[in-house]
Amino acid sequence: MPLKNYGVLKGRVLAGRAERVDDTPHYQVHVEAGGTHFRVAVNVQSVETPPELLFLVDENFQHPVTAGLTNLPVGFRELERRPGGLALDFIRFNLFDRMQMRTLPANLPEPDNDLNDKLEHYVGRAAGNPNATVYAFGERWGPEQGKKDKVFNFQPGNGVHDIHMNQGNVARFKDQDGVWQDGALLIHLAPEDRWIGIFAAFQSQAWHTDDTTGHRLLSIPTPGPGPQPSPEEPDFVVQIVAALANPIGPAPEQETVLLLNTSPAPLDVTGWAIADRQKNKHFLSGTIAAGGTLSVLLPQTVQLGNKGGVITLLNRDNLKVHGVSYTKEQASREGWTIVF
C-alpha cells in the first residue's frame, strides 16, 4: 500500500547529525515547529545494489509548488495526493531534470565528497540562518508518547522519513509505491526569497510508473536505473522547448507549446498528448520532421495558467517523454514566450 500519513513538515532547523555506522544510514535533522520537535531521517544509502543514491541539489529551485508553501502554518500537514496540489511527484510534477542527478556514496574519508557531507552543508546553512524555513516531504511517524527520540533525545519521539522518491520500487518494496507521494527537502531563504531543492532517489527505482499505483511499468522491458534513460525508454526524443502561457489579450487566450524532434528521423506523434498541471490532456496528430518543430495550439480544456504551471509530453503509451515547469514570474510578461 502507499505511504501512510504523507505530507509536509514546515519548521526551522536546529541541528543535523550524520549516522555513519548504521546498516541503513541516514542523515538526521532536528526540526522545531511551533514548539513541537521532529526528527527528519534522510536516507543516504540503499539496501539494494548499487547502494549509492541518486542526488540533486538545486540552489535556485524555481517551481510553481513553492507559491503554495509559504502560507502554510508551521508543523506537519497531510497532503492530498493529486495533481494540482502541493504533493510531490518526481515524474509527474516536473520538479527537476533527472539527467542532472548524480550518484554519491554515503560516507568517504575525505571531507566534502559524500552524501552526508553535502547534507551537512545545506542543513548547517539552514540551522545557522534565522530566516531559513525547511519543508520536509515524506511520511510522518509518532508521536511516540513516553519515548525519547533516539538521536536528539526530545520527547515524545516524532518525525518524518521516506525523504526520497517513493514509486517505481523493486519487488521487495513494491508495497510502498504510490503516485504524488515523493519525499524531498526544500529550504526557503528569506528575505531574498530563494529556494534550495534537495532530491534523492534509489538507483533501483524506475522512472516510468503506473499513474494509479506508482508501480514500475512492465511495458518497458528493463527500465534503466539511474538518470540515464535505457534504449527502451522514450525520454527526450521530443522536447518541449518553449511555450506561450500568457498571450496578449483577454481570456480565452491562444496558448501554444513548441515541440522539437531531436531524432534523425521523422516522428509520427499521432496519439501523443500534452498535459497541464491538472493533467488535462490535448491529443496530437501528425508528423514532426527530423530536427523539426511543431507548434501546438492548446484548447481551452488544457490551461497553462499565468500563476505558474507544468507542461508534460506523453507518448501514445502514456509514458512521459519530456516535462517542464514555469513560475508566475516567468509568465508575468504578456505576449512573451517562455524558453525552456
Side-chain angles (χ1 to χ4, degrees), residues 70 129-133 135 187-196:
T70 53
N129 185 344
N131 296 313
T133 303
Y135 297 82
I187 299 172
H188 184 221
L189 302 175
E192 62 264 42
D193 194 24
R194 184 162 66 89
W195 291 81
I196 298 173

Side-chain angles (χ1 to χ4, degrees), residues 5 16 20 50 73 86 88-89 93 102 104 109 135 180 185 200 224 227 234 236 238 253 294 303:
N5 305 320
R20 300 181 183 271
L86 298 179
L88 303 187
D89 191 301
F93 215 3
R102 297 293 180 266
L104 275 177
Y135 297 82
W180 300 103
L185 288 179
F236 311 111
V238 178
E253 301 166 314
L294 174 66
Q303 298 186 357

